[in-house]
Amino acid sequence: MKIAIASGKGGTGKSTVAANLACTLALSREVALVDCDVEEPNLHLFFPDSAVDVPVTTPVPEIDPALCNFCGECGKFCRFGALSVLKDRVILFPELCHSCGGCSLVCPQGAIEEVPRTVGRVACSCPLPSLTLVSGVLNEGEVMAPAVIRAAKMLAEGHPLILYDASPGIACPVIETLEGVDACILVTESTPFGLHDLRLAAEVVEGIGIPAGVVINRSDGQDEETLEFCRERGLPVLMTIPFSREIAAVQNRGGLICRDLPGWEERFADLFEAVVKIVGVSP
Amino acid sequence: MIRLAVVSGKGGTGKTMVAAALADISTVPQVLADCDVDAANLELLFDTRRLTTEEFRGLEAARIDLEQCRDCGICADHCRFGAIVRRNDAWEVDPLHCEGCAVCTYVCPTGAARMEPRVCGEIYTSATDRGNLAHARLFPGSGNSGLLVTEVRKRATSLADGADLLLADGPPGIGCPLIATISGVDAVLIVTEPGVSALHDLERLVTVCRRFDVQIFVAINRFDLAEDICKRVEDYCEKEGIVVAGKIPFDPSVIDAVRNGRPVTRSESPATDALRALRKSLFAELGFR
Amino acid sequence: MIVGITARAAGTDAPVEQRFGRAPYFVFVDTETGKAESIENPLVDAAGGVGPRAVQMFSEHGATVVITGQVGGNAARALGMGGIKAYAYRGSGSVAEALAEYTAGNLQPLPL
């Protein structure tokens, strides 16, 4: 089973939920936790351990100067401006390249070959006996987040139970993360911002057709509007985490409430059962 | 005009709260830009009146004309993004995955695959009680938020009308929307919090900001929740030569203000005092009186 | 020598456009013959990567000098590597006026 943990808004506690859920589940079964928030991967901070790095590359063009006659077809074709053909040279902007392969297709001289270029890495570790952590890390200044997410997901493939921590928002990296998942946990907080962004995230998972439920984090007990929204949209509320300085303190120092505060391991185990229920199959 | 972007490597550090507070207590004529287009929230905190709404077109997407399609599937073989899918016994472009590269139009032997403009969001300008605001909404799942940010910044510049400050609320993360937000600004204010994750994100964000010719300032939100980690954040800033322009205490009135949809500075509280001090030291650094 | 100028419309009477890659028109003037050729910029509504693509168009038209308002980082790099010089015209005058300013040596080079 594949479960994504997502949120329209950043900082709702999505990674904290993912880390606690993974830590709890790892007590009773094999779990793979995939950090798909490749711009700001943080899960490794909850589970410090030595990791093996696998580079993530995307293909970019390389031009054979012996064959190129500067006809300019590649530069005209590329919609991303990754190639600029001048009188006597071709200038490549690899960070603009989307690796579509169009330039090598259109080159009449067969002068373009694609070569791998590193845009990030995937760090794999086993911080707990039954937990595999796979973290996608996008290099600073790169834009091809989906390629790193794809690679991270691929390395976790084959595990019976996979949790994906998505990046905040609703743009392409989130779509890439949600590809092929069985259920999605939407983490929100009960503020107008939280609700506004939950609405957007709910639209996305609904659009793709993934069963979803909601975790309300940092609740101060006044969650009426959020609850009303969940009722309207048929989204079950899977868990409510209250706001408390005690919880905030555990989290700020990189701790896990399922380990450090009594009662939370049971609650995260219940969260998993609730997710299983919305998928409608046993894991 | 000084262009200042309020950013945060990590979401949820209180970036929008700080940006809204600065806008609320600013002492100079200003224009606002909500560059957090995935989750544009600034509008929720001010009294706004919509001035204009425009369609936002990102990259074109492919479409397959079934009248001309001979069902050969060559387009699907060449598409690197898996965007050409089999539905109802015919080839179809899945717009969520189409990158707009146009390879399918090149390889299609019958000319059935064509590029068409794709509307992926809306761009708005609004008048608020604290200056004009440019903002946008990205339709769910549409890519290209970086380009939309660029459009929002352009609208903000054209709305500036003699303003001395362009105040942008930036996106979380360090990807293309962030780069689009900070390229060409004079200064960034990074809102962080005393947490192990937040410090890690701060370091990555500073690395990115260093590539641009911008002044970097830091504000530490909820600094008193973990004084020891707060000290680590301050030590890091000192080592990097970054000015910590303000420290905001944890204050339940911030949650109240957000819940009621108004800037926290509309009422007196410890957070309001800290934000006033932040505004003062930041504006002094930027050369405002 | 061919000078390429970014413009809001066709012809040498058109006002100069400040944007480089997204200018509606490019006007190419041969300074020896005085002949001008205007082309409509197909990139004006393109989503991204317009800078490098516009530089390729200037190169194709044989321009060795560009007059415009400002150029982005990628375009600057392509212009620099292609040996095309860029000059800033920040006034509101026409293509012909900008060219006269350039010829008189009054325009500042853009950093490439």
Side-chain angles (χ1 to χ4, degrees):
Chain A
M1 180 153 92
K2 297 173 176 175
I3 305 168
I5 296 105
S7 70
K9 179 180 180 302
T12 55
K14 182 177 50 58
S15 301
T16 312
V17 169
N20 278 292
L21 184 58
C23 182
T24 301
L25 291 174
L27 295 171
S28 59
R29 65 190 86 209
E30 291 287 326
V31 187
L33 175 60
V34 185
D35 200 337
C36 296
D37 187 0
V38 300
E39 289 179 32
E40 304 290 354
N42 279 331
L43 289 177
H44 62 284
L45 299 171
F46 293 103
F47 303 107
D49 191 23
S50 58
V52 177
D53 279 358
V54 180
V56 178
T57 62
T58 57
V60 296
E62 186 173 73
I63 289 146
D64 184 342
L67 295 175
C68 176
N69 62 0
F70 311 104
C71 70
E73 289 301 319
C74 56
K76 274 185 214 146
F77 184 82
C78 178
R79 301 213 158 203
F80 312 107
L83 293 148
S84 193
V85 184
L86 307 177
K87 287 270 172 286
D88 57 353
R89 67 180 73 195
V90 180
I91 303 168
L92 180 66
F93 297 88
E95 66 286 354
L96 297 180
C97 177
H98 286 223
S99 303
C100 71
C103 52
S104 62
L105 273 177
V106 303
C107 177
Q109 299 292 313
I112 301 182
E113 213 189 320
E114 288 180 274
V115 294
R117 169 171 177 273
T118 303
V119 295
R121 64 192 161 87
V122 178
C124 305
S125 61
C126 269
L128 301 172
S130 302
L131 177 66
T132 305
L133 176 64
V134 181
S135 299
V137 185
L138 182 70
N139 286 352
E140 283 105 342
E142 293 289 342
V143 295
M144 294 295 280
V148 179
I149 295 171
R150 223 167 9 245
K153 288 179 74 176
M154 208 188 296
L155 281 170
E157 222 27 69
H159 277 83
L161 177 60
I162 309 179
L163 307 180
Y164 303 110
D165 185 16
S167 48
I170 50 167
C172 26
V174 179
I175 304 298
E176 189 66 49
T177 304
L178 293 176
E179 184 84 40
V181 310
D182 300 303
C184 183
I185 299 172
L186 298 169
V187 183
T188 187
E189 47 185 26
S190 52
T191 62
F193 290 176
L195 182 56
H196 177 258
D197 300 338
L198 173 63
R199 208 179 286 276
L200 298 174
E203 263 179 58
V204 174
V205 292
E206 248 173 46
I208 310 177
I210 302 170
V214 172
V215 169
I216 303 175
N217 191 20
R218 287 195 209 107
S219 163
D220 60 357
Q222 301 172 48
D223 307 332
E224 282 321 311
E225 283 181 58
T226 307
L227 294 173
E228 177 60 34
F229 170 78
C230 292
R231 260 194 304 276
E232 266 169 38
R233 302 297 275 262
L235 291 167
V237 176
L238 306 170
M239 184 185 205
T240 300
I241 305 173
F243 179 82
S244 85
R245 279 186 88 113
E246 199 185 18
I247 292 177
V250 169
Q251 286 166 352
N252 277 337
R253 62 173 157 78
L256 291 170
I257 56 172
C258 70
R259 255 197 309 229
D260 299 353
L261 296 179
W264 285 98
E265 185 191 310
E266 294 74 14
R267 273 175 250 188
F268 278 99
D270 292 347
L271 170 62
F272 179 65
E273 294 309 320
V275 175
V276 170
K277 214 174 279 170
I278 62 171
V279 182
V281 294
S282 56
Chain B
M1 183 169 69
I2 300 276
R3 287 153 301 180
L4 170 70
V6 182
V7 298
S8 67
K10 176 180 176 299
T13 59
K15 170 181 62 62
T16 301
M17 184 276 290
V18 171
L22 288 177
D24 193 47
I25 57 177
S26 159
T27 49
V28 297
Q30 64 189 357
V31 61
L32 309 173
D34 196 338
C35 296
D36 189 359
V37 295
D38 275 340
N41 286 331
L42 217 44
E43 176 192 28
L44 304 176
L45 292 176
F46 293 97
D47 293 326
T48 54
R49 183 169 51 85
R50 193 62 56 85
L51 299 172
T52 62
T53 301
E54 293 165 70
E55 279 185 346
F56 166 66
R57 287 163 197 272
L59 279 181
E60 293 182 322
R63 197 179 68 81
I64 295 167
D65 181 351
L66 293 179
E67 298 272 302
Q68 291 178 47
C69 177
R70 276 202 242 131
D71 216 17
C72 64
I74 292 176
C75 54
D77 291 344
H78 279 87
C79 178
R80 297 259 177 105
F81 310 103
I84 298 177
V85 293
R86 202 71 185 156
R87 259 185 218 146
N88 305 324
D89 214 24
W91 294 109
E92 197 180 288
V93 176
D94 173 0
L96 278 184
H97 288 95
C98 178
E99 293 262 326
C101 71
V103 161
C104 54
T105 66
Y106 178 78
V107 298
C108 177
T110 65
R114 264 174 257 144
M115 301 306 287
E116 287 184 348
R118 158 171 55 180
V119 176
C120 30
E122 286 181 335
I123 309 169
Y124 316 109
T125 60
S126 297
T128 82
D129 45 340
R130 298 297 302 155
N132 286 332
L133 167 70
H135 50 132
R137 181 169 105 91
L138 191 68
F139 294 156
S142 306
N144 257 311
S145 37
L147 180 66
L148 183 52
V149 168
T150 306
E151 293 296 320
V152 167
R153 286 214 17 212
K154 249 190 249 167
R155 298 301 179 291
T157 307
S158 68
L159 285 170
D161 195 26
D164 292 330
L165 174 68
L166 187 157
L167 183 62
D169 183 18
I174 56 164
C176 58
L178 183 267
I179 289 167
T181 303
I182 65 172
S183 48
V185 304
D186 303 292
V188 298
L189 173 66
I190 303 176
V191 180
T192 187
E193 57 184 358
V196 179
S197 307
L199 178 57
H200 174 253
D201 295 338
L202 172 66
E203 292 173 12
R204 274 168 73 84
L205 179 56
V206 167
T207 308
V208 174
C209 291
R210 290 269 188 239
R211 303 218 182 123
F212 295 83
D213 183 22
V214 293
Q215 267 184 289
I216 305 175
F217 301 98
V218 162
I220 309 173
N221 192 20
R222 301 189 278 260
F223 77 93
D224 51 345
L225 278 187
E227 306 261 8
D228 52 330
I229 305 176
C230 181
K231 177 79 175 51
R232 277 168 63 190
V233 174
E234 287 177 278
D235 289 346
Y236 165 77
C237 291
E238 191 179 340
K239 182 173 73 81
E240 289 286 322
I242 297 169
V243 174
V244 176
K247 290 173 23 183
I248 304 141
F250 170 77
D251 183 345
S253 67
V254 172
I255 304 171
D256 278 349
V258 171
R259 188 187 303 285
N260 295 322
R262 57 181 164 73
V264 62
T265 39
R266 295 280 163 97
S267 60
E268 294 303 323
S269 71
T272 298
D273 293 340
L275 287 159
R276 283 201 190 110
L278 167 67
R279 202 279 305 153
K280 208 172 158 203
S281 72
L282 187 64
F283 277 26
E285 292 277 352
L286 294 175
F288 292 127
R289 270 184 298 126
Chain C
M1 181 179 65
I2 292 172
V3 179
I5 301 136
T6 54
R8 297 211 191 136
T12 52
D13 294 335
V16 173
E17 167 65 46
Q18 295 294 306
R19 292 173 301 169
F20 174 66
R22 290 185 197 278
Y25 280 82
F26 300 140
V27 181
F28 297 97
V29 182
D30 186 329
T31 52
E32 266 112 72
T33 63
K35 238 183 91 202
E37 183 194 357
S38 303
I39 62 159
E40 205 178 331
N41 179 8
L43 305 174
V44 66
D45 287 323
V50 292
R53 295 156 83 191
V55 173
Q56 177 166 341
M57 290 169 65
F58 277 81
S59 175
E60 271 168 19
H61 283 81
T64 50
V65 168
V66 170
I67 301 174
T68 187
Q70 51 202 348
V71 294
N74 290 328
R77 200 180 127 212
L79 288 167
M81 290 179 72
I84 302 174
K85 294 199 165 51
Y87 290 87
Y89 179 77
R90 301 265 156 77
S92 53
S94 67
V95 167
E97 283 160 1
L99 191 61
E101 291 279 333
Y102 165 72
T103 319
N106 292 337
L107 298 187
Q108 289 300 311
L110 284 162
L112 298 181

